[in-house]
Structures are given as C-alpha cells and as structure tokens.
Amino acid sequence: MNLSYWEYKTWLSNIDFTVVGSGIVGLNCALRLHERFPKAKILILEKGFLPQGASTKNAGFACFGSISEILDDLRSHSEEQVQQLVKKRWQGIQLLRKKLGDSNIDFQRLGGHEIFLDKDGSLYNECLEKLESVNELLQPIFQGKPFFEKKNIFNFNKVKDYYISHKFEGQVHTGKMMHALLHRVQKNKAILLNAVEVEEFIENETNITVKTNLFEFKTKKLIVATNGFAANLLNESIKPARAQVLLTKPIENLMVAGTFHFERGYYYFRNIDNRILIGGGRNLDFKAEETIEFGVSELVQNRLECLLRDITT
Ligand SMILES: Cc1cc2nc3c(=O)[nH]c(=O)nc-3n(C[C@H](O)[C@H](O)[C@H](O)COP(=O)(O)OP(=O)(O)OC[C@H]3O[C@@H](n4cnc5c(N)ncnc54)[C@H](O)[C@@H]3O)c2cc1C
C-alpha cells in the first residue's frame, strides 16, 4: 500500500511502542505504557474491525476460582502458588474497576456459585470437607472467608440442595468493559489501527521492522498481545483453547442472578438482560478445540442445550 507523506509521518513514524492485539491485555498494556512513559508514541494494531479475540466474546465472570478448581490447583501447585494466583485475579479485577468505574462496566457483585450435579456426590463431599481449610488459605486475600454453603434458592434440578458460593465474585458487561477500555486508550492519544494484521517482524540492533498485510514500518519496541494466536508470530509453543457460549431468548420473570459454575469449572452460566448465557464444554474434545478457527462445535452446542434444559426445566 502506498502511503502519503502525511499518513506515514503522522501515524507510522517515530513509534516508541507497538502493541499487537487490542484485547484486554493489549489495551491494558497500552494504558500502563502511557502511565510509565507519558510522552511515548504508542501504536496498537488489531487485525479485526473490532477486537476479534476472547475479550469481546467472553462470559464476563469476575471470578477467582471455584472451590473445586482451587482443590484441583492444590493437587499440582503449592499452597503459596495457589494463593498468589488467586491474589493476582482479585487484584486484577480491583484494578479494572478502579480504572474504568463500576457503572461503566456494569460490575455487579452478585456472588459466584458452584453447583454440583447429583451425580457428582463425591466431588461435592470433598469440597465440603475442605471448605474450612480453603477459606483459611484465602482469607488473607479477601479479608474475609470467601466460600460458604448456600441453599438452592434458584430451584435448579438434578443438583445438590446446596451450592458452594463465593461471596466476592461478580460479573461485568463484557461489551461495555471493552468499549470503556478503548475509550480510555484513545483518550491517552494512543493510535489504534483496525483491520491491520501483523504478519512478521525482524529485529535489528536499534529497532524492529514490522510487516503487516497493508504496510511496513519501524518501531523501537514491539509487544505481542495476541493470546491464542501468538504462535503465528512468536516461536513459542502456545496452544489456543477455543470456547463457546450460547445465549437464550429473553425469559420472562427470570429469577436467576449471579454467576454459576459446575463440573470443575468446565461449564458456566449467568444472567444477562433477562437471558441466560451458558458456556463451556471444551473438555468434550480438547484436541478439536485447540484451534484458532472461529466456529460452532455441534458436540458442544448439543451438550450446552441439554445441560441448560436439565437444570432449569
Ligand atoms: C467464550 C469465552 C468465555 C470466557 N469467559 C471468561 C470469563 O467469564 N471471565 C474471564 O475472566 N475470562 C473469560 N474468558 C477468557 C478471557 O476472555 C481471555 O483470557 C481474555 O479475553 C484474553 O485477552 P487477550 O487480550 O489476551 O486476548 P484476546 O482478547 O484474544 O485478544 C487478542 C487480539 O489479538 C488480535 N490479533 C491476533 N493476531 C493478530 C495479528 N497477527 N495482528 C493483529 N492483531 C492480531 C485478535 O484479533 C484479538 O483481538 C473467556 C474466553 C472465552 C473465549
């Protein structure tokens, strides 16, 4: 593509930092760079017409690990490592809320609930047995005990009479959150260019030459924030993990409110605008879901529909 003198000079010369990918990580990275280097010229390149990865497609759970996930983690990590992981999740959400404001992202602390299907009795018993010790472990992070038993007040079917709930979990409106983040980034005068795909980069001693589908330019530093697509640019063994959600039609007088997990976090659902959003099922075929292709898996779709019907009707 031939660029005019003005186009090149204004948008693509003297770039201090180029961030590839405008998902939640790329945008937060640009914000942080601006905080640290207020005079730096920051360019963000995004291949989609909107951010086109997980950040605009996710379920909007502000969650820190359900009790069965924590117990799973404790099997392969030390207590200190698990504490650190949960602490980072907690601090990340606090930072996001502080930066963007709760009303701009519709943050609601409605609580998170792990529900146990009747068939998962032994997992349920294990979680109950270890509830107090997990609370002890996480109390310093939340300044309170996060987990407690809660009656099945939403009358889900084929599940145990009590959920194990997390007091501090909440939900956000994913679209509003990304919109607010984009707004913040542009207010800081970072340059965001959409529909530009970075294809390759070559490092020299003083700078990096970046080749895109439309043009080539130089930058002093390059940050790749492309999540599951990273292996296309970096020589790293990063595997994508696709996920799928489905949304019901509006349901009159919907009482369900909050975020819910089950089957060790492989399935999850929440309320949004009088609808239920349900997702998960990657565990049905891990290999097939290790893909960067967008699309609907019929296997996952059928399972999600079936679970939703079983639990709610
Ligand atoms: C269905 C689903 C539900 C989820 N639910 C939750 C949840 O409830 N709570 C939670 O905390 N997390 C959830 N997640 C995970 C969360 O969404 C991700 O961890 C997060 O969005 C990752 O952000 P990111 O910026 O790293 O990646 P992404 O949002 O994937 O951003 C990467 C960006 O890079 C762009 N890109 C890729 N290659 C190039 C290139 N070569 N040139 C230019 N641009 C490029 C892509 O278009 C994309 O916009 C969910 C994920 C999915 C898929």
Side-chain angles (χ1 to χ4, degrees):
M1 177 184 273
N2 286 329
L3 296 170
S4 74
Y5 174 77
W6 314 115
E7 286 165 343
Y8 184 78
K9 199 79 188 158
T10 313
W11 282 277
L12 298 171
S13 71
N14 298 321
I15 306 291
D16 295 301
F17 297 100
T18 299
V19 180
V20 190
S22 72
I24 187 169
V25 174
L27 295 178
N28 273 295
C29 171
L31 286 179
R32 184 75 186 116
L33 284 170
H34 178 74
E35 271 167 27
R36 286 197 58 194
F37 310 101
K39 293 198 173 124
K41 188 164 173 182
I42 301 170
L43 173 68
I44 307 164
L45 299 177
E46 166 57 52
K47 73 174 177 179
F49 74 97
L50 290 172
Q52 208 173 52
S55 300
T56 44
K57 297 173 175 41
N58 64 47
F61 282 39
C63 55
F64 315 109
S66 68
I67 189 148
S68 68
E69 288 175 274
I70 302 282
L71 291 177
D72 258 358
D73 287 345
L74 284 169
R75 278 187 258 281
S76 50
H77 297 78
S78 69
E79 288 195 349
E80 205 191 328
Q81 284 170 325
V82 173
Q83 258 182 338
Q84 285 309 315
L85 181 67
V86 174
K87 191 172 173 186
K88 278 188 183 162
R89 292 172 179 156
W90 171 245
Q91 288 176 335
I93 292 293
Q94 305 318 312
L95 194 64
L96 190 76
R97 293 176 59 194
K98 197 167 147 217
K99 252 186 202 157
L100 302 178
D102 284 353
S103 61
N104 290 325
I105 61 176
D106 273 5
F107 175 83
Q108 296 181 70
R109 203 179 103 180
L110 298 176
H113 315 278
E114 177 154 17
I115 57 178
F116 295 86
L117 304 183
D118 280 336
K119 70 175 179 61
D120 292 332
S122 63
L123 177 66
Y124 178 59
N125 290 336
E126 188 197 349
C127 290
L128 277 183
E129 217 173 275
K130 305 217 168 121
L131 191 142
E132 260 323 300
S133 62
V134 173
N135 268 342
E136 294 287 314
L137 182 71
L138 301 181
Q139 182 161 10
I141 299 167
F142 297 104
Q143 308 297 316
K145 293 183 177 180
F147 292 111
F148 64 102
E149 284 180 84
K150 188 176 174 99
K151 187 119 187 80
N152 178 11
I153 54 168
F154 299 113
N155 297 320
F156 298 128
N157 298 318
K158 300 184 187 168
V159 305
K160 297 286 173 197
D161 288 343
Y162 285 84
Y163 321 134
I164 299 185
S165 300
H166 193 306
K167 225 183 264 176
F168 300 97
E169 289 193 346
Q171 51 180 266
V172 301
H173 185 300
T174 296
K176 287 187 183 175
M177 179 203 64
M178 284 300 286
H179 192 249
L181 259 179
L182 283 163
H183 184 68
R184 272 294 297 267
V185 164
Q186 284 167 322
K187 217 169 130 195
N188 288 351
K189 299 204 169 62
I191 301 171
L192 170 62
L193 299 181
N194 284 87
V196 179
E197 180 165 3
V198 173
E199 293 177 338
E200 196 189 340
F201 63 90
I202 299 157
E203 286 183 80
N204 311 310
E205 257 167 41
T206 49
N207 56 33
I208 300 159
T209 302
V210 182
K211 296 185 179 180
T212 77
N213 58 331
L214 297 177
F215 50 76
E216 204 176 298
F217 69 101
K218 291 188 194 319
T219 182
K220 289 195 191 110
K221 304 266 181 214
L222 183 75
I223 295 115
V224 177
T226 58
N227 197 15
F229 307 95
N232 291 349
L233 287 176
L234 303 174
N235 193 15
E236 301 277 347
S237 151
I238 296 165
K239 298 215 166 89
R242 188 169 67 174
Q244 189 169 320
V245 298
L246 75 82
L247 199 63
T248 65
K249 289 183 182 153
I251 300 166
E252 226 174 289
N253 303 321
L254 180 70
M255 301 298 286
V256 175
T259 52
F260 301 84
H261 319 248
F262 56 109
E263 295 206 348
R264 294 176 195 269
Y266 280 118
Y267 295 95
Y268 45 86
F269 63 92
R270 63 171 279 186
N271 64 303
I272 175 75
D273 300 336
N274 291 320
R275 301 167 190 260
I276 297 282
L277 178 157
I278 181 168
R282 201 165 56 79
N283 55 331
L284 295 172
D285 190 346
F286 284 116
K287 203 71 211 151
E289 297 308 313
E290 233 173 60
T291 172
I292 55 169
E293 295 300 314
F294 290 101
V296 172
S297 146
E298 238 178 86
L299 179 69
V300 173
Q301 179 78 13
N302 290 339
R303 179 79 178 131
L304 293 179
E305 285 181 22
C306 197
L307 279 168
L308 190 58
R309 250 184 248 118
D310 265 5
I311 292 174
T312 57
T313 53

